[in-house]
Amino acid sequence: MSVSAKAAVAVLHLAKRLRLIPNPGDLDSEFAKAREYNRKHPYREPHDQKARYRTDYVSGYPVLSITQPGITPEHAILFLHGGGNQDTWKPEVSFARNYGMRTGTEVFYPIYPPFTERPVKETADLIYAVYQSIAVKYGAANIAVVGGSYGGFLAMQLITWINRNGTEVDMPGLLIMNSPFAFPETAEEWKLAEAYETDDLMVPEGTFRLMMDGIMRTDPLTPEYALYPRKMDFRHAPETYIFYAKEACACVADAIQHAYERDGAVLHMHKEPGMMHCYACAPVFPESKRDFDRQIHAIKQSFETKSSE
């Protein structure tokens, strides 16, 4: 591991030992905190000069479009940010913008409702509707989907929704997921999640149980195919790249791998020892720069291949 990465990891380890990354409380208090956060952080279109921004609405929710000045894009990225329980849309705008800048694409950034506000099935319906609208403009093959953490969860749901809805829209050209979240299903997977939470540099202990309890409180009828990778449908999925660290979210890595193999889809799984959650979408350290560059190369290559067909 690089010296800079070791230093950052040491700081995160210290923060966790000092409880600066607190464990979640009871469900009522966590819902209250999430809703207060959402109230204080409403969506506002960015006003910096680092890109051209436009906000459209799908099913009543804002979808931010990010493009670079002087470029007429021929391809698009659907960028699904993380969060889940809180509407943490703002921190990852710079990540999305960087993907667009490096690939010369238009980036679509949906501001989806967290599960503390709406059922996950409704959020998956929204992401599916956003994807449909992008496919009308660019063609499905000219779209790359990029999802990090909870955004990876939404990306896997999107592939499942495309399959479940038959021939309404084709699959995207490429899927990239950074530390995708999903729920453990078996007792063994839950034990693994709890063990990984203890050592995870960024995810507090008890997070997976809290997330599951919260989702089921919002909608007790949440279907299994919206929660567990083994129940999701990856038939016809595009070529997919996943980047994990040694982290809590990796408790479902084998489940995703097995589901892809079962459904005959192509998956490239990379696990980087010692790194932190979503390291590969923030090109800060040599390791993250290397794997971010791999993602950019895959996106460009996918678009070039589709254009030549």
Side-chain angles (χ1 to χ4, degrees), residues 21-38:
I21 305 174
N23 293 340
D26 65 87
L27 200 55
D28 287 335
S29 64
E30 291 300 321
F31 261 63
K33 284 193 291 186
R35 287 171 173 167
E36 180 66 8
Y37 178 94
N38 298 339

Side-chain angles (χ1 to χ4, degrees), residues 85-296:
N85 63 321
Q86 295 180 346
D87 191 10
T88 54
W89 65 270
K90 191 173 183 179
E92 294 184 46
V93 169
S94 61
F95 294 174
R97 185 175 60 235
N98 198 22
Y99 276 94
M101 181 178 65
R102 290 287 302 274
T103 59
T105 59
E106 181 173 9
V107 179
F108 293 87
Y109 192 92
I111 316 301
Y112 61 85
F115 68 74
T116 49
E117 305 289 344
R118 302 302 307 166
V120 294
K121 190 173 181 295
E122 290 188 19
T123 299
D125 289 342
L126 168 65
I127 299 303
Y128 178 73
V130 171
Y131 174 76
Q132 282 185 302
S133 69
I134 303 171
V136 169
K137 181 175 182 180
Y138 283 100
N142 295 313
I143 302 171
V145 178
V146 178
S149 191
Y150 196 85
F153 183 51
L154 297 177
M156 289 187 284
Q157 290 175 339
L158 174 61
I159 300 303
T160 300
W161 257 239
I162 293 171
N163 277 321
R164 290 182 66 84
N165 287 309
T167 58
E168 286 185 355
V169 65
D170 292 334
M171 287 286 174
L174 185 71
L175 172 58
I176 293 173
M177 293 185 282
N178 291 293
S179 299
F181 169 88
F183 285 104
E185 183 178 9
T186 66
E188 291 76 17
E189 288 171 353
W190 274 106
K191 288 179 182 178
L192 189 60
E194 290 161 359
Y196 280 179
E197 282 177 339
T198 302
D199 297 327
D200 195 296
L201 300 173
M202 300 175 70
V203 175
E205 295 175 45
T207 296
F208 276 77
R209 292 288 181 189
L210 174 79
M211 298 279 277
M212 175 61 86
D213 291 346
I215 283 173
M216 298 311 291
R217 170 182 284 193
T218 303
D219 181 10
L221 300 179
T222 300
E224 290 187 338
Y225 61 78
L227 300 172
Y228 308 120
R230 294 181 194 275
K231 296 294 194 299
M232 293 179 178
D233 189 344
F234 298 118
R235 291 173 300 146
H236 319 298
E239 186 170 13
T240 300
Y241 291 81
I242 292 179
F243 297 85
Y244 274 122
K246 184 181 178 182
E247 55 175 318
C249 284
C251 68
V252 295
D254 287 348
I256 296 171
Q257 185 89 51
H258 292 153
Y260 262 73
E261 291 172 357
R262 176 199 68 205
D263 293 339
V266 177
L267 172 63
H268 309 281
M269 178 86 71
H270 179 75
K271 298 178 183 178
E272 185 67 19
M275 295 300 288
M276 66 287 293
H277 182 66
C278 283
Y279 79 95
C281 62
V284 177
F285 312 111
E287 297 89 343
S288 57
K289 290 178 181 178
R290 177 200 67 208
D291 290 340
F292 180 75
D293 285 345
R294 286 178 62 189
Q295 296 179 34
I296 297 303

